[in-house]
Amino acid sequence: MNTENYSQTASFIWSVADLLRGHFKQSQYGRVILPFTLLRRLECVLAPNKQKVLEAAKQHHNRPDAVREQLLLRESQNDFYNASSLTLATLSDTQTAEDLISYVQSFSSSAREIFEHFNFEEFVLKLAEADLLYQVTQQFGSKIDLSPDNISNYGMGLIFEELIRKFAESSNETAGEHFTPRDCVHAATSLLMTGQEEVLSPNSIITIYDPTAGTGGFLSESEEYIQSISEKVTVKLFGQELNSESYAICKADMMIKSQEVDNIKLGNTLSNDQLAHEKFKYMLANPPFGVDWKASQRVVNDEHKVKGFDGRFGPGLPRVSDGSLLFLLHLVSKMRDTRDGGSRIGIILNGSPLFTGSAGSGESEIRRYLLQNDLVEAIVALPTDMFFNTGISTYIWILSNAKKPERKGKLQLIDGSEAFAKMRKSLGSKRKYLTEENINELVRLYGAMEETKNSKVFPNEAFGYRRITIERPLRLNFQASEERVALLDDEKALQKLKTDDFNQLKQTIQRINADTLLTSRDDFTKALNAELKASDVKLTAAQLKAVLNALSERDSDADVCADKKGNVEADAGLRDYENVPLTEDIYEYFEHEVKPHVPDAWIDESKRDEQDGEVGIVGFEIPFNRHFYVFEPPRPLEEIDADLKQCTDKIKQMIEELSA
C-alpha cells in the first residue's frame, strides 16, 4: 500500500467524525477515533491466535493472575493478549457500553493501561448516552481492515500520523505542539545512522532514546532503518512523553513491535527524567518549537544551581520562553562514555538555537559548551513548510562525542532548503516534502564533507567571538540658561528639597551669567560652588550631581570630564560593543577597525570573561544563512525606468479613454 492509500485509509477512519457531529465537540473527535483505531489494530494483530488464547484462558482461569498472564502471552505469541470472545465486529446493537468496557478490560495489563490514558471508558459511556456506540463499533469492526497483512507497522505509523494531524487541527493545537512528519523523521534518522554499519554488526545490542517520544515515530523509524541494515541486531527502544494520548499510541506501537513497553515513560522529561541513570547509543528528538518551560522552571533552575555540570544543565539556561536547548542538553547528558563507543544525537530545532542570545547569555553559553567540547558534527537546513502546524525554518543537528578523525574540531553546515518536492495537496501548513532522492542527496553531502555550493565546513572556533566594550570620553558643556534651569524640576534627587530651599537654589544658580557657555566641568563647578557658598546653600553629593546633570549637554568640542584622580570618565550614551572573532587579536582588531573612526575610544578592560579571565565576554553563534547568502545585483536603472514609463503610459491612456 503506498502513502496515498494510507492517507485514504486515514481519511476513511476520520469520517467517523460525521457520526459524532452534534453530539461531541470538534476537539473531542480524536479522543474517540484514536483509541478505537488502536483497539481495532490490536484485535487485528491478535486475531490469528485468538482462539488459542480463549482456550488457554478457560483452562487456566483458576491460576494466580501473574501465572495466568504468562501462559496467555505464550499462546498469543505477542507481548499482549485479550481473553474476551468479543470483537468490535461481533458486538451487537443489544449489547451495552459495559460489554465493550469488559472487552477492553480483558486485555493484558500493559494494553489496558493504554486505554486508561485515553479515558476510553468515559467516551464509551458518552457514545452510549448519544445512542452512537453500536454505529461506531460497527464502522471500525466491519469496514476497517487494520490487519498486519493489509497494513504494515510502518503504514500504521503513517495512518496514526494523519489521524493525529487531523486531531491537532480540530483541537487548535499551537505551532509547537506538532507531530513530526515521516519524511523529516526519515531524513534525521538517515543522517544519524550514516557510516554506522560497523557499529550495527550482527548480534550487537543497540539502544535508541527519544525524550519527546510523541507517538513513537522516531523510535519506529530508527528501528526499521537498523533492521534494514542488519536483521540480527537487537534494538531496544526507550522514550518519555508528556501527552497522555501520544504516550498511549507510542506504547501500543511498541507493544505491536514486541518492544519492552515499560521503557516508554509518561511525564515531563525536563522536570522528571524517568530514565535518569540510563545512557544511550543513539538519540533522536523533535522537541516542541518555541514552547516555554515555565512548568519546569523551579526544578530546572535548582538542578542548574545545585548540580552544575554534574547535572544536565551545567552550561547554562536559555530564556524561559523557549526550552529547545534544554532538551538538547538533556540528550548530551545521556551520551555514553567514549570508551564505550560514545553516542550520536539527531535533533530537529527551529532557527533560534543557532543565534538567539548575546555573549554571556544562557543560549550562547550552551553553544559555547557544545562547540568547545567538539560535540556538533553537522547542521542541516530543511525547507520551510515541512510541518503540519507551522511553516518556519527548521534544522537537523547531528552531534557525536566520538567524531571520526576527519571531523574533529569541525562543524559542517548543509543547506537543504531547496531540496524538496511540492505536495499535490497541502496538509495543514505542510506544503513540501522530502523525496527519497532529496534525503539521499543530503546524506551524500554529509558523508562527503566537502566544500560545495550547499555544504560548508568550518573550524569550531569560527563561530566564536569576544564581545568587547568600547568606551568614549564624556564631554559636556555647561550653562545656567533659563531652559536648563527649568530642567532642575525633573531631577529626582532635588525633589526631596523643601520648596523654599529649592527656590533659593534656583535663584543662586541664576546669578551665574546665563549667556556664558563653559566647556569645562571643573570651571563650571568652581563657579557654581562659589555662588552656593555665598548664598549658604548646602547640597549633598547626589544633589550637586543632579544640578550638573540638568545644566549640561553633550558637546564633542568640550573638554574631557575626569574624576578626582584624573581618570577619564566614560560616556554611557556613547558606549558601544564590538564582536571580535576568536581567531583575531582584540587589540589588533581595535586598532584597525575602531580607532580610525573614533580615535579617542578605548577598550574597557574590566569587562572580562568568567571562564578564561581574558578581556571581553566570549560568545558563540551560528549565522547559518550568512554563509549561504548569494548576492543578487539589482536590476539596471534603465530597465526599472522603462517599466515605470510603461506603467505611467498605460495609466495615462486609461485616463484619456475615460475622459473621451
Side-chain angles (χ1 to χ4, degrees):
M1 186 183 289
N2 61 36
T3 304
E4 189 171 335
N5 289 334
Y6 291 134
S7 182
Q8 289 174 355
T9 301
S11 295
F12 180 75
I13 293 173
W14 192 259
S15 68
V16 172
D18 294 334
L19 297 173
L20 307 178
R21 192 167 289 112
H23 299 277
F24 289 82
K25 295 178 182 178
Q26 189 174 350
S27 60
Q28 294 179 315
Y29 293 170
R31 301 183 189 278
V32 174
I33 293 171
L34 289 173
F36 265 100
T37 304
L38 282 173
L39 178 55
R40 178 58 178 155
R41 174 66 172 183
L42 293 179
E43 71 174 20
C44 286
V45 170
L46 293 174
N49 295 312
K50 181 69 178 281
Q51 194 57 42
K52 291 181 181 178
V53 171
L54 293 177
E55 292 171 1
K58 187 176 181 180
Q59 180 182 349
H60 303 299
H61 72 280
N62 288 326
R63 295 287 190 98
D65 289 345
V67 175
R68 178 174 177 271
E69 178 151 318
Q70 291 303 312
L71 291 169
L72 297 188
L73 286 172
R74 186 177 66 186
E75 294 299 330
S76 170
Q77 296 182 25
N78 286 286
D79 288 345
F80 59 101
Y81 65 81
N82 187 291
S84 170
S85 59
L86 289 173
T87 66
L88 290 176
T90 59
L91 276 165
S92 69
D93 58 351
T94 60
Q95 289 174 308
T96 63
E98 285 70 25
D99 293 311
L100 179 56
I101 291 170
S102 173
Y103 171 39
V104 172
Q105 289 176 340
S106 298
F107 276 104
S108 49
S109 56
S110 57
R112 282 200 309 273
E113 186 207 1
I114 293 170
F115 292 96
E116 289 170 6
H117 285 290
F118 272 116
N119 294 321
F120 189 58
E121 290 187 13
E122 175 188 340
F123 283 95
V124 166
L125 292 173
K126 286 183 178 180
L127 284 169
E129 185 180 336
D131 199 25
L132 292 173
L133 185 59
Y134 176 69
Q135 293 181 65
V136 171
T137 55
Q138 287 303 298
Q139 184 88 344
F140 279 94
S142 303
K143 299 179 181 179
I144 300 172
D145 181 7
L146 299 182
S147 63
D149 289 341
N150 186 48
I151 298 175
S152 66
N153 287 334
Y154 174 75
M156 203 65 224
L158 291 176
I159 290 171
F160 277 135
E161 176 186 275
E162 179 74 357
L163 292 175
I164 292 163
R165 183 190 65 78
K166 290 177 181 293
F167 180 29
E169 285 184 349
S170 67
S171 303
N172 293 317
E173 298 286 350
T174 63
E177 299 292 335
H178 55 75
F179 297 87
T180 316
R182 283 301 166 108
D183 54 335
C184 295
V185 170
H186 186 40
T189 305
S190 300
L191 288 163
L192 185 72
M193 298 295 179
T194 296
Q196 296 296 294
E197 289 78 11
E198 292 182 8
V199 178
L200 307 177
S201 57
N203 303 317
S204 59
I205 300 175
I206 298 298
T207 55
I208 303 173
Y209 171 63
D210 183 348
T212 54
T215 58
F218 266 132
L219 297 177
S220 298
E221 171 73 20
S222 55
E223 181 190 25
E224 186 170 321
Y225 188 101
I226 289 172
Q227 298 294 357
S228 70
I229 295 174
S230 177
E231 294 181 1
K232 295 182 179 179
V233 173
T234 299
V235 181
K236 294 187 176 182
L237 304 177
F238 297 78
Q240 186 163 333
E241 171 55 32
L242 179 62
N243 179 276
S244 292
E245 285 90 351
S246 299
Y247 165 76
I249 294 171
C250 184
K251 286 201 74 166
D253 195 25
M254 295 302 106
M255 188 182 298
I256 291 167
K257 290 180 168 64
S258 298
Q259 284 287 334
E260 179 56 60
V261 293
D262 288 340
N263 290 340
I264 308 300
K265 307 294 184 181
L266 176 66
N268 188 315
T269 304
L270 297 180
S271 60
N272 182 20
D273 178 12
Q274 296 184 41
L275 295 164
H277 303 294
E278 299 286 347
K279 304 286 184 181
F280 305 100
K281 177 62 182 176
Y282 297 109
M283 289 170 267
L284 285 153
N286 178 27
F289 301 148
V291 173
D292 69 57
W293 47 282
K294 288 179 183 176
S296 311
Q297 192 171 6
R298 181 183 60 81
V299 175
V300 171
N301 282 339
D302 288 347
E303 183 171 343
H304 171 66
K305 292 175 183 176
V306 176
K307 292 187 177 181
F309 284 89
D310 291 330
R312 295 174 292 170
F313 311 118
L317 301 178
R319 63 200 64 195
V320 76
S321 59
D322 188 354
S324 298
L325 284 171
L326 290 180
F327 286 102
L328 180 50
L329 286 179
H330 169 79
L331 291 175
V332 168
S333 75
K334 293 188 173 296
M335 283 181 146
R336 301 189 332 184
D337 192 290
T338 53
R339 290 170 294 186
D340 298 324
S343 299
R344 289 175 64 77
I345 295 170
I347 183 170
I348 301 177
L349 301 172
N350 65 356
S352 64
L354 293 169
F355 51 79
T356 300
S358 59
S361 67
E363 293 91 346
S364 177
E365 287 298 289
I366 293 170
R367 289 189 293 268
R368 177 180 186 174
Y369 175 81
L370 296 173
L371 291 169
Q372 288 189 337
N373 286 278
D374 198 19
L375 294 175
V376 188
E377 278 196 355
I379 300 175
V380 181
L382 295 177
T384 56
D385 302 321
M386 288 294 295
F387 289 83
F388 300 129
N389 283 16
T390 179
I392 62 175
S393 297
T394 51
Y395 302 81
I396 300 173
W397 291 47
I398 302 297
L399 294 86
S400 172
N401 63 347
K403 287 186 176 183
K404 293 181 178 180
E406 64 270 21
R407 288 191 177 272
K408 288 188 180 296
K410 298 176 182 178
L411 169 56
Q412 182 184 13
L413 303 181
I414 298 174
D415 181 14
S417 60
E418 299 301 320
F420 65 86
K422 289 187 176 181
M423 300 185 68
R424 282 188 290 178
K425 182 181 179 182
S426 298
L427 295 175
S429 294
K430 185 173 175 61
R431 299 177 178 85
K432 303 170 185 173
Y433 71 99
L434 299 174
T435 65
E436 195 68 33
E437 292 74 20
N438 295 146
I439 295 172
N440 290 340
E441 176 60 16
L442 294 178
V443 170
R444 189 195 65 75
L445 286 170
Y446 169 73
M449 198 185 165
E450 296 173 347
E451 288 281 337
T452 68
K453 174 187 173 184
N454 295 316
S455 171
K456 311 288 183 184
V457 181
F458 302 91
N460 290 334
E461 58 268 22
F463 302 102
Y465 61 89
R466 283 189 185 275
R467 186 173 187 255
I468 58 173
T469 304
I470 305 297
E471 299 285 16
R472 295 178 63 189
L474 180 64
R475 298 174 186 271
L476 301 171
N477 67 41
F478 296 83
Q479 189 176 21
S481 64
E482 184 179 346
E483 294 82 0
R484 297 194 190 186
V485 171
L487 296 176
L488 292 170
D489 296 340
D490 300 328
E491 294 291 336
K492 289 185 179 180
L494 300 178
Q495 291 170 1
K496 297 178 181 179
L497 291 172
K498 295 179 181 179
T499 303
D500 291 344
D501 292 340
F502 185 61
N503 290 334
Q504 186 181 2
L505 172 63
K506 278 188 173 183
Q507 292 170 8
T508 300
I509 292 171
Q510 286 169 340
R511 285 201 288 270
I512 301 173
N513 189 340
D515 295 327
T516 302
L517 184 71
L518 295 176
T519 58
S520 168
R521 186 172 66 181
D522 289 344
D523 291 347
F524 183 80
T525 304
K526 288 177 184 178
L528 176 62
N529 284 333
E531 295 296 339
L532 293 173
K533 186 175 182 181
S535 303
D536 199 27
V537 175
K538 295 180 180 180
L539 299 176
T540 64
Q543 290 168 342
L544 178 60
K545 183 178 180 181
V547 171
L548 292 173
N549 184 61
L551 302 180
S552 65
E553 286 185 356
R554 283 191 176 83
D555 185 347
S556 60
D557 295 324
D559 295 348
V560 172
C561 297
D563 61 21
K564 292 180 179 179
K565 295 181 180 179
N567 298 316
V568 176
E569 291 185 32
D571 186 343
L574 297 178
R575 183 173 295 140
D576 202 357
Y577 303 92
E578 289 285 331
N579 291 341
V580 184
L582 287 182
T583 51
E584 293 190 38
D585 180 88
I586 63 169
Y587 296 102
E588 291 180 3
Y589 178 95
F590 178 75
E591 287 298 326
H592 64 71
E593 293 291 340
V594 179
K595 271 285 191 179
H597 307 288
V598 280
D600 58 357
W602 71 92
I603 298 174
D604 182 355
E605 296 190 356
S606 68
K607 304 292 194 303
R608 292 177 174 267
D609 189 76
E610 289 186 6
Q611 289 191 38
D612 61 22
E614 298 293 330
V615 175
I617 311 301
V618 172
F620 275 82
E621 65 175 4
I622 305 170
F624 196 100
N625 292 335
R626 185 193 306 166
H627 294 296
F628 292 96
Y629 173 73
V630 178
F631 174 72
E632 294 183 7
R635 289 195 300 156
L637 286 174
E638 293 78 9
E639 287 186 18
I640 298 173
D641 287 341
D643 287 347
L644 288 172
K645 187 176 185 306
Q646 185 178 359
C647 288
T648 54
D649 289 346
K650 189 173 182 179
I651 293 170
K652 185 178 179 181
Q653 182 181 350
M654 291 172 65
I655 293 173
E656 289 175 350
E657 289 175 354
L658 289 171
S659 302

